[in-house]
Amino acid sequence: MTSTDSAQKAPAKDPWDLPDVSGLVVGVLGGTGPQGKGLAYRLARAGQKVIIGSRSADRAQAAAGELGHGVEGADNAEAARRSDIVIVAVPWDGHGDTLKSLSAELAGKLVVDCVNPLGFDKRGAYALKPEEGSAAEQAAALLPDSRVTAAFHHLSAVLLQDPEIERIDTDVMVLGEQRADVEIVQALAGRIPGMRGVFAGRLRNAHQVESLVANLISVNRRYKAHAGLRLTDV
């Protein structure tokens, strides 16, 4: 490369130059569970249009009424169809079957998987490793026509749902294959006061991110806390 080529080379993109996502509709599958409901509440409170999904439309509508802030409720299929971004917050046990049944509705959508495959016994929580490698990779395998990312794994449902808490000071590790998709999810995380989305690799690295929740559960039990993550020097 000549010195002229170097001089004309475009400057590197600022990794914190993120898109405006304020006009996107966010669907939350499993939006009546603690994590999904908490995420729906925080995003709606920040001004995002949110539709929560459940296997039961009536249950979703009841939960939406409790949350306020313009949140709507629908069955999972309708929530997926009407949304630009779909957060998957269903229990791990139903993860595969739920996504398989919604592959048509999720085609062309940006899917954000926040499911943590965990087991529990008398010694506490421990990580499970799905055959595909992680919950996010299972989602990608089941949804070949969707753009799958992974994020929002390490958030306390208690803090998310507490209306007295204005800010949640934590980082959100975002994984995905396409930079543009990852940046949309980073920007979505940044809509919540105190939160920051940080790129953390491709989907093949999702297992250790999902697994870290088992460690956080141990931290929280020992210290009676609602611990999150902060990444230093970024």
Side-chain angles (χ1 to χ4, degrees), residues 18-19 110 147 149 177-186:
L18 301 174
L110 176 53
R147 295 136 51 209
T149 60
E177 299 303 318
Q178 299 298 325
R179 180 166 184 162
D181 293 337
V182 168
E183 289 182 346
I184 289 171
V185 181
Q186 286 181 262

Side-chain angles (χ1 to χ4, degrees), residues 150-198:
F152 300 117
H153 300 92
H154 307 131
L155 306 180
S156 163
V158 173
L159 297 185
L160 289 172
Q161 294 185 78
D162 188 340
E164 300 299 316
I165 293 176
E166 297 291 333
R167 294 174 55 88
I168 300 179
D169 292 316
T170 191
D171 286 334
V172 172
M173 299 176 77
V174 185
L175 303 97
E177 299 303 318
Q178 299 298 325
R179 180 166 184 162
D181 293 337
V182 168
E183 289 182 346
I184 289 171
V185 181
Q186 286 181 262
L188 188 65
R191 297 273 289 158
I192 300 173
M195 234 176 250
R196 184 179 66 157
V198 180

Side-chain angles (χ1 to χ4, degrees), residues 1 5 30 41 48 65 77 108 116 129 143 152 157 178 186 189 200 211:
M1 181 182 291
D5 291 334
Y41 172 68
Q48 209 76 34
N116 302 301
K129 187 158 188 179
L143 303 172
F152 300 117
Q178 299 298 325
Q186 286 181 262
S211 300

Side-chain angles (χ1 to χ4, degrees), residues 15-16 171 196 198 230-234:
W16 298 112
D171 286 334
R196 184 179 66 157
V198 180
R230 271 296 191 208
L231 300 173
T232 62
D233 199 32
V234 178

Side-chain angles (χ1 to χ4, degrees), residues 29 35 67 72 126 130 178 185:
L29 306 185
Q35 190 81 352
L67 294 177
E72 294 184 43
Y126 59 95
Q178 299 298 325
V185 181

